[in-house]
């Protein structure tokens, strides 16, 4: 079920599976490690990955029919993938190479499949080659999914001055950052210059607002 021959790797790569089917990859080069990670990820989750791509691009109706068109319209209004080209362009060469090799692994695995995951039959899906932009777009949706509760909490703060200070802090961070996996010091430029917000102060207001 897992390809082991004729793979575009520079050195031998070892994939071990624990008794709980957790994979462990040992490779001599970063490129081989990224490629093999793409193979393993597709082997375990190609159906889930494809569903996530459909959702992140506002293409749920292709699977579920016209009753989800309003959801697709809302997702497309956010346009999570719009920044993907700029993010790719800002990546250091080594990061972009790693992502490209990972994507190559996904597509190599899909290219040798005969029995597709059941999600393809249920959703009447056809395989589309994976792109680096797909990974970035899904990552952006995941970031929203993880962090949306923070923004709801901020909107519920009754102290407008405190809320404004926190939002200004977030805005300063976003302007000082980079769309890259590069040096952390460069990514968080200006962090030390920001006025600290008291955690005790925040907790007190959370209690008063019954958040």
């Amino acid at each position: 079920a897992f390809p082991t021959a004729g793979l575009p790797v520079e050195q031998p790569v070892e994939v071990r599976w624990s008794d709980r089917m957790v994979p462990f990859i040992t490779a001599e080069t970063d490129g081989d490690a990224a490629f093999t990670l793409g193979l393993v990820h597709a082997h375990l989750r190609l159906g889930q990955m494809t569903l996530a791509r459909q959702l992140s691009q506002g293409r749920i109706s292709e699977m579920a029919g016209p009753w989800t068109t309003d959801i697709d319209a809302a997702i497309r209004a956010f346009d999570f993938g719009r920044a993907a080209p700029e993010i790719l362009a800002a990546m250091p060469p080594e990061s972009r190479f790693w992502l490209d090799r990972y994507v190559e692994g996904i597509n190599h695995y899909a290219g040798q499949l005969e029995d597709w995951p059941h999600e393809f039959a249920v959703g009447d899906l056809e395989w589309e080659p994976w792109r680096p932009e797909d990974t970035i777009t899904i990552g952006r949706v995941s970031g929203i999914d993880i962090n949306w509760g923070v923004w709801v909490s901020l909107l519920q703060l009754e102290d407008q001055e405190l809320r404004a200070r926190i939002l200004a802090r977030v805005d300063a961070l976003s302007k000082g950052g980079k769309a890259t996996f590069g040096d952390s010091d460069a990514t968080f430029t200006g962090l030390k210059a920001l006025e600290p917000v008291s955690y005790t102060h925040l907790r007190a207001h959370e209690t008063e607002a019954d958040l």
Side-chain angles (χ1 to χ4, degrees):
F2 190 82
T4 59
L7 302 177
V9 293
E10 298 176 355
Q11 301 290 335
V13 178
E14 180 182 70
V15 180
R16 295 180 293 111
W17 304 83
S18 73
D19 57 354
R20 296 180 181 274
M21 295 306 293
V22 176
F24 295 84
I25 300 170
T26 303
E28 298 295 327
T29 69
D30 287 345
D32 287 350
F35 175 83
T36 308
L37 180 61
L39 285 178
V40 171
H41 199 182
H43 175 68
L44 295 176
R45 296 180 177 269
L46 190 62
Q48 182 183 6
M49 293 165 64
T50 303
L51 293 180
R53 176 167 61 180
Q54 296 290 110
L55 186 151
S56 68
Q57 296 177 359
R59 299 170 59 189
I60 304 174
S61 299
E62 295 179 18
M63 304 178 291
W67 69 278
T68 58
T69 54
D70 287 345
I71 299 176
D72 280 346
I75 294 173
R76 294 188 183 197
F78 282 105
D79 198 3
F80 294 104
R82 181 178 180 179
E86 183 179 352
I87 292 173
L88 286 173
M91 277 187 181
E94 59 271 19
S95 299
R96 178 60 192 269
F97 172 74
W98 203 98
L99 178 58
D100 286 342
R101 284 290 280 163
Y102 166 75
V103 169
E104 186 180 350
I106 296 172
N107 288 325
H108 186 94
Y109 181 85
Q112 57 85 49
L113 267 186
E114 294 181 1
D115 297 323
W116 292 86
H118 67 275
E119 289 91 343
F120 283 80
V122 173
D124 193 25
L125 297 173
E126 294 184 2
W127 171 249
E128 301 173 8
W130 202 265
R131 306 173 304 149
E133 291 86 351
D134 298 329
T135 296
I136 290 174
T137 302
I138 292 173
R140 287 171 61 80
V141 174
S142 298
I144 293 293
D145 184 52
I146 292 170
N147 294 300
W148 69 268
V150 175
W151 297 104
V152 173
S153 297
L154 287 177
L155 291 175
Q156 292 176 332
L157 283 176
E158 296 179 356
D159 188 330
Q160 294 185 5
E161 181 182 354
L162 176 62
R163 183 171 61 190
R165 286 177 60 202
I166 297 173
L167 291 175
R169 187 178 170 90
V170 172
D171 182 60
L173 277 173
S174 65
K175 290 179 179 178
K178 286 186 176 182
T180 178
F181 299 106
D183 179 67
S184 59
D185 291 337
T187 302
F188 296 103
T189 299
L191 176 61
K192 294 181 180 179
L194 294 175
E195 179 186 359
V197 175
S198 168
Y199 180 74
T200 303
H201 191 197
L202 277 175
R203 296 298 299 180
H205 280 272
E206 286 178 359
T207 302
E208 293 170 7
D210 193 25
L211 296 178

